Amino acid sequence: MAHHLLGKLPVRLWNAYNHQLRNHPIHTKSATSCVAFALGDVLAQHLTKQHHQERFDWSRTARMAAFGVFIAGPVGHHWYRFLDTNIHATNPTPPRAIATKVGLDQLVFAPVSTFMFYAYLVSAEGRPSAYVATIRDKYWATNVAGWKLCVGCWCCRLLGAFTPASTTGGQQRMSSTLPSCHPRSASC
């Protein structure tokens, strides 16, 4: 009996998550971004730890989580909503529609969000005067890394985007098929 209940748990959790997305999209996406950014930072710190005695930086993780909840979640929600309602809104899944949205996402939103991320990061670290140097040193490399990462993400995600509407209960919207493909994002 317990095995049967546990087998249904992932489906029930997924359904509950989707229910929250429909009823409270910004709060749900903010919470999801918070968790994704926090987990991404935890993973990054563990992978880049040089010495065994090096202490885990909880304040760094908290700053990343705060970026997810207060900036990435709400801004991403409005950006993808804009794409959904203004770019190929009546037929969002053909290759041309997806290519247009991906192009806008990576050539407009990703560069702007990189500026936002570094502005937030140096400010949250108490180093706002380091913004210009940080942008000069990291901006281009961050965007190039994001674009490289996105190629693989999009190839995988587009396979799911072309699922016939009859098997998905209707047309998928761009916001449900676009991962957040940025080197700072753990949701890709």
Side-chain angles (χ1 to χ4, degrees):
M1 179 75 165
H3 176 67
H4 179 67
L5 291 175
L6 287 176
K8 291 185 177 188
L9 184 62
V11 172
R12 294 174 81 188
L13 289 173
W14 183 250
N15 289 339
Y17 176 76
N18 281 307
H19 174 77
Q20 291 301 314
L21 273 176
R22 282 188 302 279
N23 295 312
H24 309 285
I26 295 175
H27 292 128
T28 305
K29 291 173 187 177
S30 292
T32 303
S33 292
C34 176
V35 171
F37 273 86
L39 290 176
D41 185 68
V42 168
L43 181 62
Q45 286 193 56
H46 282 291
L47 292 176
T48 60
K49 190 184 284 190
Q50 301 276 327
H51 306 287
H52 187 63
Q53 272 84 13
E54 199 171 324
R55 298 182 70 79
F56 188 85
D57 188 349
W58 287 105
S59 62
R60 176 181 136 169
T61 301
R63 287 190 299 271
M64 296 302 285
F67 179 80
V69 76
F70 295 117
I71 299 172
V75 171
H77 166 79
H78 291 294
W79 169 251
Y80 292 118
R81 185 172 172 205
F82 167 80
L83 289 179
D84 279 348
T85 58
N86 294 291
I87 310 297
H88 299 283
T90 59
N91 196 9
T93 58
R96 182 177 175 190
I98 292 174
T100 301
K101 292 178 182 184
V102 170
L104 287 170
D105 187 58
Q106 292 304 299
L107 298 174
V108 176
F109 185 67
V112 170
S113 68
T114 300
F115 279 119
M116 289 188 319
F117 175 76
Y118 285 124
Y120 165 80
L121 186 65
V122 296
S123 295
E125 291 174 344
R127 312 177 301 116
S129 60
Y131 180 68
V132 172
T134 300
I135 290 297
R136 183 187 61 239
D137 296 342
K138 297 181 178 181
Y139 180 78
W140 182 248
T142 299
N143 280 303
V144 170
W147 295 328
K148 288 178 181 178
L149 177 65
C150 267
V151 171
C153 287
W154 287 113
C155 289
C156 293
R157 292 296 298 232
L158 289 178
L159 294 174
F162 295 119
T163 305
S166 61
T167 63
T168 60
Q171 289 183 325
Q172 290 181 327
R173 305 303 293 175
M174 194 64 176
S175 58
S176 66
T177 60
L178 283 176
S180 177
C181 285
H182 226 270
R184 297 171 309 281
S185 173
S187 62
C188 190

